[in-house]
Amino acid sequence: MPHAMTRRRLLLGAAASLGGRDPTGPGPSLAQAARRAGRDYGAAVRMDYLRRDADYRRAVLFECATLTPEVELKWAAIEAERGVLTFSEMDELADLARTHRKRIDGHTLLWHASIPAWAVSDMAERRDWGPVSRYIQTVMPRYADLTARWDVVNEPIAEDHGVDGLRASPFLAAFGPDYIRRALETARAAAPHAKLAINDFGFERDTPIDEVRRRRLLRLLGDLIKAGAPLDIVGLESHLDLGVKRLPAERLAAFLREIAVRGLAIHVTELDVKEADYPLPATRRDERVAQAVKSYLDVVLAQPATRSVTTWGLTDRYSWLEVTPADLARFPNDWKDGSSPGLN
Ligand code: XIL
């Protein structure tokens, strides 16, 4: 697969800023390279792919110190039916991690996009914290030996101006803005030794709404700290988008300083790249992706509060980023012969 090899080498080249690996030859794993720079490296993985694809499994186990379950820990995956807990996928991933001495990143407890349907209506009708806290209290201790950190609240900041800048989620509707502090308290009680995170996306973008979102996040952090909430980490998803203007380096660095001065650690939790210029030759496309990752990580890793980098997947063999009809519609003169731009 020459195409995949090129991409892999470019990714490794970009990741060399994690700690110095020769991208042209054999060298340390990404995890080892990161460790030399005092950081952790990991990737989001899926048990169904690990089970059936030996190459993928070998690459994951070689490159990663931490594994982030892409879907297996989400509430909708664990408790699709009220009170019926399905741990089989996550338990298998946990066993794999134990066997190979990997850590698991606990992703994620409260996320608006992964609430079981029964819980959505239950929260709306009864405003009862019970099901939320039972889920937290069940999953956190079960994997306590593997998980040093958890994404407790995922994507709480609104993508528009929202209700006071917070996402209009079932959690906000049922419990008010205090649900974030409450979730952190519940998580701390369930896993006293784990570091607890708020995780969100888009802070690297230079758009008016993302400027509002950055300010809203900082205000939320200040409020939580003032309220004594057990918060340790801000997770920056870092889904880079080549079609969206990126914040200049100094402004990104200043934003990271604002997080660091509040005493919080920074983790890059979901790094990947959505392409824009699909008609370019594959090598140019790969260069653009690598360049975007390198210029981003150069800034983020210059901040001492940054502790880890997790890529959202390890290979473009399996990616949640698809080339969509809308992407193709932007290039009406290409692929008329029925060919395609390939993978994102
Ligand atoms: C995505 C997974 O990659 C998909 O496989 C799944 O269908 C939906 O969730 N932000 C997050 C992640 O915090 O949990 C999301 O993962 C991607 C966006």
Side-chain angles (χ1 to χ4, degrees):
M1 283 217 303
H3 179 65
M5 270 315 289
T6 310
R7 283 184 170 252
R8 178 182 152 77
R9 288 167 61 147
L10 280 157
L11 173 67
L12 296 179
S17 55
L18 282 166
R21 170 182 186 149
D22 173 4
T24 59
S29 68
L30 288 169
Q32 288 165 335
R35 199 63 334 265
R36 285 177 194 173
R39 265 81 178 222
D40 285 331
Y41 170 75
V45 299
R46 283 180 43 159
M47 193 57 231
D48 50 351
Y49 305 151
L50 285 167
R51 199 181 291 124
R52 69 171 187 238
D53 184 337
D55 288 347
Y56 168 71
R57 185 182 166 113
R58 211 174 301 120
V60 164
L61 294 177
F62 177 70
E63 301 288 5
C64 300
T66 60
L67 310 178
T68 303
E70 197 175 327
V71 289
E72 291 78 354
L73 258 184
K74 290 169 178 168
W75 194 5
I78 299 260
E79 197 181 0
E81 203 182 316
R82 183 202 286 267
V84 182
L85 299 163
T86 309
F87 289 115
S88 48
E89 292 288 295
M90 189 57 222
D91 280 355
E92 193 174 342
L93 183 57
D95 284 341
L96 186 74
R98 286 188 190 100
T99 304
H100 296 274
R101 300 179 179 283
K102 307 295 178 188
R103 312 286 292 171
I104 297 278
D105 269 354
H107 180 78
T108 173
L109 297 171
L110 271 64
W111 187 33
H112 64 95
S114 69
I115 311 172
W118 65 265
V120 172
S121 37
D122 187 85
M123 279 192 277
E125 284 157 26
R126 305 195 307 124
R127 298 170 191 258
D128 175 11
W129 187 251
V132 181
S133 74
R134 267 196 299 281
Y135 161 63
I136 293 176
Q137 287 162 0
T138 309
V139 301
M140 290 185 93
R142 189 176 181 94
Y143 305 107
D145 60 320
L146 293 167
T147 42
R149 49 180 190 260
W150 282 84
D151 294 333
V152 178
V153 183
N154 201 33
E155 305 185 343
I157 307 295
E159 289 175 66
D160 49 26
H161 292 271
V163 184
D164 187 26
L166 293 180
R167 181 183 296 278
S169 71
F171 304 112
L172 185 73
F175 310 112
D178 193 45
Y179 85 88
I180 299 173
R181 186 197 58 79
R182 226 169 150 183
L184 290 164
E185 300 282 2
T186 306
R188 175 63 94 226
H193 303 296
K195 301 283 185 210
L196 306 182
I198 284 181
N199 191 51
D200 214 319
F201 64 88
F203 299 125
E204 71 287 348
R205 298 176 185 167
D206 192 4
T207 71
I209 190 63
D210 289 304
E211 183 58 27
V212 173
R213 298 180 76 250
R214 279 186 289 275
R215 283 207 304 272
R216 187 63 187 90
L217 175 78
L218 296 177
R219 181 148 65 86
L220 174 63
L221 302 180
D223 291 348
L224 289 168
I225 290 165
K226 203 176 333 148
L231 175 67
D232 308 294
I233 295 171
V234 172
L236 306 174
E237 290 188 11
S238 315
H239 294 291
L240 308 184
D241 187 333
L242 299 188
V244 178
K245 208 166 144 229
R246 271 249 306 281
L247 211 55
E250 328 71 79
R251 284 178 57 208
L252 178 58
F255 172 68
L256 301 176
R257 275 198 299 277
E258 290 288 340
I259 298 172
V261 296
R262 287 165 171 79
L264 300 168
I266 295 168
H267 289 253
V268 173
T269 52
E270 305 185 15
L271 179 63
D272 62 10
V273 183
K274 174 78 178 163
E275 288 185 83
D277 293 321
Y278 294 99
L280 290 178
T283 49
R284 291 290 312 286
R285 284 168 56 186
D286 286 344
E287 278 164 20
R288 287 195 176 191
V289 169
Q291 189 49 46
V293 170
K294 177 162 178 12
S295 61
Y296 180 70
L297 288 184
D298 281 347
V299 177
V300 177
L301 295 175
Q303 167 54 250
T306 302
R307 303 286 155 72
S308 76
V309 173
T310 293
T311 49
W312 205 242
L314 188 63
T315 163
D316 52 14
R317 190 178 292 177
Y318 306 114
S319 170
W320 76 305
L321 294 172
E322 285 161 15
V323 181
T324 64
D327 293 327
L328 298 183
R330 289 175 33 240
F331 307 102
N333 299 320
D334 292 276
W335 307 294
K336 282 189 183 138
D337 58 359
S339 63
S340 87
L343 299 161
N344 176 81

